[in-house]
Amino acid sequence: MAHTPRTITPTIARRLAIMRQRLAGEQHPATSEGILETVRDLRCVQIDPISAVARTQYLVLWSRVGKYDIEDFHRLLWEDRSLFEYWAHAASIVLTEDYPIHADMMRHYGTSESPWGTRITKWMAENQALHDHILAEIGQNGPVSSQAFTDSTEVGWHSTGWTSGRNVNQMLDYLWSRGEIVVAGRKGLQRLWDLTERHLPEWTPREVLDRREVVSQAAQMSLRALGVATAGQIKLHFTRYRYRDLPAVLKKLETDGKIIRVKVAEGDTVWPGVWYLHAEDLPLLDSLEAGEWQPRTVLLSPFDNLICDRKRTELMFDFEFRIEIYVPKAKRQYGYYVLPILHGDQLIGRIDPKMDRKTGRLDIQAVYAEPETKVNKTSGRAVARTIRDLAAFLEAKEIVYTGAVPEGWQSVME
């Protein structure tokens, strides 16, 4: 007999998501251990090279632990190797302890009978010499950058996108996706490649999980990172699009009592779809419903895990967010690299910042408030404080407000 789902309010659903994203409540310390624990909560942190403010992987962690030493983060990646770069819901930093989950993609990459799988398999077979040359060079001299390789392509890679003609990079990405090579360091934006078997630590778990178990584990990790979610939202998070037979997996998890259904509703408002909560988060749900809530005000990277699913963000926060990096300047609504403002359990606005590293100046080119935001000195001071915290993290010498600021916030910001 089916159980009646527990009803939670939209406010509690938002707070569950924010708490599980480590954006409220007690913070992990700004140490190597705290950074690693934060990544364990998130399971992945997206990588992006744009540094108008700071690279997104650095900002995502700063939003959660505060000012930290980036070298501690790098040591986890390149020395301790508790983290490594691989595909999650985009190119990301993931946990080495999750290797068996990611190894499933490695084993099956390029083996499908889809048009893409057939095409990549054919291209690899046509360019075996380049494949062998790259592996031999890395094996003998790694870690090395892509500049170390001679393009010995027999048949060039052609596409309608930016990868067309980038034969060496295409082969490197194939070998990376297959798990044969790994990013072992970086020199600026240049990735340094090494053999995976040589780079990853001896303690890396190597058990081979069947695909159903991979999906079961990944779905639970995705759900826990989201706090509360539908099947569609689980599918878009963590190992995005790699949840084969997800409905059957969720049914089994529900039968086993590992996840439960909840209904998100208040008054006449009912969120559509079937929503799930991980059983391990029931104590957190109970504490939130008892009124235990320690909100913070933080700025979010445009690629932050909390808002990377745009439809979910609109439903949960009534906040429409689009990245305008590729929009012509004259057509941008808010700016090039805009950071949303999370204030408690609401997204109350956004800022358009730019860090000038030559002068040490953080320019705040505009501050925007959402229509429903209470634009008063209390919220303004909270926003100003987190902007100052960002400047401290970036080691900016000064903050300069060069653009418009909502009237109710001007006196506490400028």
Side-chain angles (χ1 to χ4, degrees):
M1 185 172 68
H3 295 284
T4 302
R6 179 169 172 174
T7 299
I8 64 174
T9 66
T11 295
I12 293 297
R14 281 192 295 273
R15 290 181 179 184
L16 274 166
I18 292 164
M19 285 289 290
R20 289 301 302 138
Q21 281 290 308
R22 284 288 173 177
L23 290 165
E26 186 178 349
Q27 290 176 274
H28 289 308
T31 61
S32 295
E33 294 77 11
I35 292 167
L36 186 58
E37 283 301 314
T38 300
V39 180
R40 283 197 178 108
D41 286 314
L42 304 180
R43 299 327 285 197
C44 63
V45 177
Q46 185 171 337
I47 302 166
D48 191 87
I50 296 169
S51 57
V53 180
R55 289 173 190 156
T56 183
Q57 55 267 39
Y58 303 146
L59 287 173
V60 167
L61 293 170
W62 165 77
S63 295
R64 288 152 175 84
V65 303
K67 189 174 188 291
Y68 67 95
D69 186 345
I70 288 175
E71 288 309 308
D72 286 341
F73 182 38
H74 290 167
R75 274 189 288 274
L76 289 169
L77 267 168
W78 315 129
E79 295 179 27
D80 298 349
R81 302 173 190 183
S82 301
L83 306 171
F84 71 103
E85 295 187 17
Y86 196 63
W87 289 106
H89 56 241
S92 299
I93 291 161
V94 298
L95 292 152
T96 304
E97 63 199 53
D98 287 344
Y99 183 81
I101 290 173
H102 300 294
D104 180 72
M105 177 177 170
M106 297 172 187
R107 286 192 298 275
H108 295 97
Y109 183 79
T111 63
S112 72
E113 295 181 0
S114 66
W116 165 259
T118 301
R119 184 183 176 210
I120 196 75
T121 300
K122 181 175 183 291
W123 190 77
M124 293 303 151
E126 292 169 337
N127 292 287
Q128 190 66 41
L130 178 61
H131 174 280
D132 295 347
H133 161 63
I134 287 176
L135 286 181
E137 181 68 32
I138 293 174
Q140 184 172 348
N141 300 311
V144 292
S145 74
S146 61
Q147 297 171 344
F149 310 113
T150 302
D151 185 352
S152 55
T153 311
E154 296 288 334
V155 178
W157 178 261
H158 298 288
S159 77
T160 57
W162 68 274
T163 62
S164 188
R166 297 167 64 91
N167 303 314
V168 168
N169 283 329
Q170 186 65 31
M171 184 64 76
L172 287 167
D173 283 343
Y174 171 81
L175 292 169
W176 176 47
S177 299
R178 290 282 297 171
E180 295 181 61
I181 63 175
V182 69
V183 181
R186 283 183 177 264
K187 186 179 292 184
L189 295 179
Q190 280 281 321
R191 293 178 289 184
L192 303 179
W193 299 101
D194 204 352
L195 300 177
T196 301
E197 62 184 22
R198 185 162 63 197
H199 176 75
L200 290 184
E202 290 184 10
W203 57 261
T204 303
R206 304 281 184 173
E207 66 266 29
V208 177
L209 304 176
D210 66 54
R211 301 197 83 174
R212 179 60 66 93
E213 179 60 23
V214 167
V215 174
S216 179
Q217 290 190 23
Q220 292 180 77
M221 291 172 178
S222 177
L223 177 57
R224 292 216 69 197
L226 291 166
V228 60
T230 65
Q233 292 167 3
I234 290 169
K235 188 181 294 186
L236 287 175
H237 208 71
F238 188 34
T239 54
R240 182 176 288 174
Y241 302 132
R242 308 208 303 260
Y243 294 95
R244 176 181 289 192
D245 299 326
L246 181 60
V249 169
L250 293 176
K251 184 177 180 180
K252 178 68 163 57
L253 290 170
E254 190 177 8
T255 300
D256 292 346
K258 293 184 177 180
I259 66 174
I260 64 168
R261 295 191 188 201
V262 294
K263 179 181 179 181
V264 185
E266 187 172 41
D268 295 331
T269 300
V270 180
W271 285 3
V274 177
W275 292 77
Y276 296 97
L277 170 80
H278 200 280
E280 291 185 20
D281 286 325
L282 279 169
L284 174 60
L285 172 58
D286 291 340
S287 69
L288 287 171
E289 290 190 329
E292 296 178 25
W293 171 241
Q294 296 174 281
R296 299 202 298 269
T297 302
V298 296
L299 300 171
L300 302 177
S301 158
F303 302 101
D304 194 278
N305 297 42
L306 182 72
I307 57 172
C308 62
D309 181 340
R310 306 305 186 207
K311 288 184 178 179
R312 172 182 161 94
T313 302
E314 289 179 28
L315 174 64
M316 294 193 87
F317 297 95
D318 191 24
F319 186 85
E320 183 177 309
F321 183 67
R322 299 292 183 270
I323 295 174
E324 298 184 288
I325 292 167
Y326 304 110
V327 176
K329 186 174 182 179
K331 295 184 178 181
R332 290 178 194 144
Q333 184 177 3
Y334 295 109
Y336 178 78
Y337 201 81
V338 168
L339 309 186
I341 306 164
L342 177 67
H343 180 63
D345 59 17
Q346 298 290 332
L347 290 167
I348 65 167
R350 53 200 99 195
I351 71 168
D352 176 19
K354 182 175 177 56
M355 180 62 194
D356 188 330
R357 287 169 181 80
K358 290 183 179 178
T359 63
R361 191 172 90 167
L362 177 61
D363 286 332
I364 307 300
Q365 299 174 131
V367 179
Y368 303 94
E370 288 296 287
E372 300 302 317
T373 297
K374 293 180 180 178
V375 182
N376 53 34
K377 288 185 178 180
T378 300
S379 58
R381 287 191 187 102
V383 176
R385 189 182 309 116
T386 195
I387 290 173
R388 290 195 299 272
D389 290 344
L390 175 64
F393 174 61
L394 299 174
E395 298 183 342
K397 296 176 182 176
E398 62 176 334
I399 303 169
V400 180
Y401 288 83
T402 58
V405 175
E407 186 175 343
W409 287 349
Q410 287 176 356
S411 64
V412 294
M413 287 189 183
E414 298 178 337

